[in-house]
Amino acid sequence: MANTIDSKNKRDRLAPRREPYWELLKKGAAIGYRRLESDGEGTWIARWRDDEGKQKYRALGNFKEFDDAAKAARAWVTACEQGASPKVTTVKEVCETYVDALKAEGRTSTAKDAEGRFSRLVYEATVGKLAIDKLKTSNVQKWMNEQIDDDDEADEEDIRRSKDTANRNLATFKAALNLAMNNRLVATDAGWKTVKAFPKVGARRKDAFLGMEQRTALLKASPDDLKLLVKAMLLTGARPGELATLNASDFDRRLGCLTLKGKTGSRTVAISTAAAAFFAEVGKDKIGAAPMLATSYGQRWNKDSWKKIFKESVDAAKLPSAVVMYSLRHTAISEMILAGMDSFIVAKLAGTSVAMIEANYGHLKHSVVTAKLDAVAML
């Protein structure tokens, strides 16, 4: 019998009906085309008969060409013949099954961690709605990239941490997908196997603290516009993106405070007398929404405009290659802690949590405590 669905002209002449028009692909497998309305768009369906003689069906969606639809049907049939489940199983369902499997094994803590990651990143996301056998490498890579905090308000350490977290999310995600393949819900791991974790992000940056001589050398090596940004970071400990968005009106000369806006929202913080004098001088001819700190071209700073010039300044000052813009924030926070400032106050000034301050700078407080203890006469 002649093929009635292998060309658009033939399909257009078919009467609309619910039962698909079938074309045999091989023994036990067929592809069907169905159009419910004369002016509607048709859809394709694959059919396969299993070893028990039961017919299994799979909706393939819309294809303009018969060959493309037939290719998709053959891929599904081949997967079924290799033992994959003929049912449509979404990525969300795969992840839910993985969490249930962890609980069944008594791995309660791991199950809770995985469920938290999937709830945030998979269940309501586009990737979670995909059928597991439709998952592509590009889908998983896009899912990874969307987790990265990479806007102008993010500093280098923010980006490193977000990549490190994304790597852990990927490991959990792949574990769920691999279980699905082991359970024959999908025939191959081609959709995710080649997606790699972000490299060299697992450890906090080393040599990030700048001593006074290094700070002086960096300021001397920096061009005038960058020098102001460097000074502002050292005087405040703010994120570079927060200072880049700082307006002239965000500095209150009377109270000596700054209103910073960034990834953690808006906060008004007290600044030192030296910092107040600095901003008063920098902003003396600026009002309203004018940028407090700008490039030599009068434009606001952003990561693209400072990255190269900062690296050149670091090299000219003969500083370690690991020094980046975030090192200035790290240096400022470290000095605050070494001066004996309370972690709660430092966290408020820096726009972060006390837990983060304690985790990353707590060791510095030991020397402060030691100095104070040394001043106490015990014996």
Side-chain angles (χ1 to χ4, degrees):
M1 182 181 294
N3 189 325
T4 59
I5 59 174
D6 62 351
S7 74
K8 185 177 184 305
N9 288 336
K10 290 179 182 179
R11 295 193 294 273
D12 287 345
R13 290 196 295 267
L14 297 174
R17 69 183 195 188
R18 181 166 297 277
E19 174 63 22
Y21 291 88
W22 293 103
E23 180 64 31
L24 192 67
L25 293 174
K26 65 177 185 177
K27 184 178 180 180
I31 183 171
Y33 176 81
R34 175 173 62 191
R35 189 173 69 247
L36 300 178
E37 299 177 1
S38 58
D39 58 348
E41 187 174 8
T43 58
W44 299 87
I45 305 96
R47 186 180 70 197
W48 171 69
R49 185 171 63 249
D50 65 16
D51 294 338
E52 298 178 356
K54 296 180 180 179
Q55 298 281 19
K56 306 295 181 181
Y57 299 88
R58 177 67 178 272
L60 301 175
N62 305 108
F63 291 94
K64 291 184 178 181
E65 301 296 333
F66 171 83
D67 288 345
D68 293 332
K71 180 179 179 181
R74 289 190 179 96
W76 174 73
V77 169
T78 299
C80 291
E81 291 174 339
Q82 293 174 351
S85 171
K87 296 192 306 179
V88 176
T89 304
T90 66
V91 171
K92 177 183 178 181
E93 291 170 332
V94 163
C95 291
E96 290 172 335
T97 299
Y98 176 68
V99 171
D100 290 340
L102 291 174
K103 291 178 180 177
E105 294 173 4
R107 299 166 64 186
T108 307
S109 178
T110 305
K112 184 177 180 180
D113 177 78
E115 189 162 31
R117 295 177 193 275
F118 296 152
S119 295
R120 294 191 305 271
L121 300 167
V122 177
Y123 290 162
E124 301 302 322
T126 300
V127 71
K129 297 176 175 63
L130 293 174
I132 179 67
D133 60 349
K134 298 292 185 182
L135 187 65
K136 298 178 180 178
T137 300
S138 58
N139 301 135
V140 181
Q141 191 64 64
K142 183 174 184 292
W143 175 79
M144 279 281 284
N145 294 341
E146 288 173 346
Q147 298 175 48
I148 306 309
D149 189 357
D150 196 17
D151 56 28
D152 286 338
E153 294 178 358
D155 55 43
E156 286 85 352
E157 182 63 11
D158 291 328
I159 296 171
R160 185 202 67 77
R161 285 198 300 266
S162 64
K163 286 184 175 181
D164 188 31
T165 300
N167 286 349
R168 292 193 291 272
N169 294 334
L170 178 64
T172 303
F173 192 39
K174 280 190 170 185
L177 297 173
N178 288 333
L179 178 63
M181 186 177 70
N182 291 339
N183 290 341
R184 307 308 297 166
L185 296 177
V186 62
T188 175
D189 59 0
W192 64 87
K193 183 177 181 179
T194 59
V195 178
K196 303 297 184 184
F198 295 107
K200 300 179 181 178
V201 296
R204 184 180 176 85
R205 183 182 300 108
K206 304 297 183 182
D207 302 321
F209 180 83
L210 300 182
M212 189 60 72
E213 290 185 0
Q214 291 176 309
R215 295 172 224 172
T216 301
L218 177 60
L219 287 168
K220 185 177 180 180
S222 298
D224 291 342
D225 54 353
L226 181 65
K227 187 179 298 183
L228 296 179
L229 181 59
V230 169
K231 281 186 177 180
M233 288 198 65
L234 289 171
L235 287 169
T236 64
R239 297 178 178 86
E242 294 172 336
L243 294 173
T245 60
L246 189 69
N247 295 328
S249 59
D250 292 327
F251 171 53
D252 190 319
R253 289 172 170 78
R254 183 177 65 86
L255 297 178
C257 62
L258 288 178
T259 298
L260 299 168
K261 306 177 185 70
K263 59 178 291 184
T264 58
S266 176
R267 69 183 187 281
T268 298
V269 297
I271 55 177
S272 67
T273 302
F278 168 79
F279 285 110
E281 176 64 25
V282 172
K284 64 182 179 181
D285 297 322
K286 300 175 181 178
I287 59 172
M292 177 66 80
L293 301 163
T295 68
S296 59
Y297 299 102
Q299 300 174 329
R300 289 189 185 276
W301 287 101
N302 59 49
K303 189 165 51 183
D304 292 332
S305 60
W306 75 57
K307 188 171 184 179
K308 180 180 178 182
I309 191 172
F310 184 81
K311 180 67 169 62
E312 292 172 346
S313 300
V314 167
D315 291 342
K318 295 180 171 27
L319 299 181
S321 60
V323 172
V324 292
M325 188 67 81
Y326 180 83
S327 304
L328 306 177
R329 171 173 162 85
H330 174 66
T331 297
I333 294 174
S334 298
E335 289 287 20
M336 293 177 194
I337 296 294
L338 288 169
M341 290 182 66
D342 181 75
S343 295
F344 178 80
I345 295 175
V346 175
K348 290 296 182 184
L349 294 175
T352 188
S353 67
V354 174
M356 194 287 289
I357 294 295
E358 293 289 348
N360 294 292
Y361 300 93
H363 64 286
L364 298 176
K365 300 181 72 173
H366 298 321
S367 61
V368 175
V369 174
T370 299
K372 289 182 178 181
L373 287 172
D374 289 344
V376 179
M378 296 292 188
L379 295 172

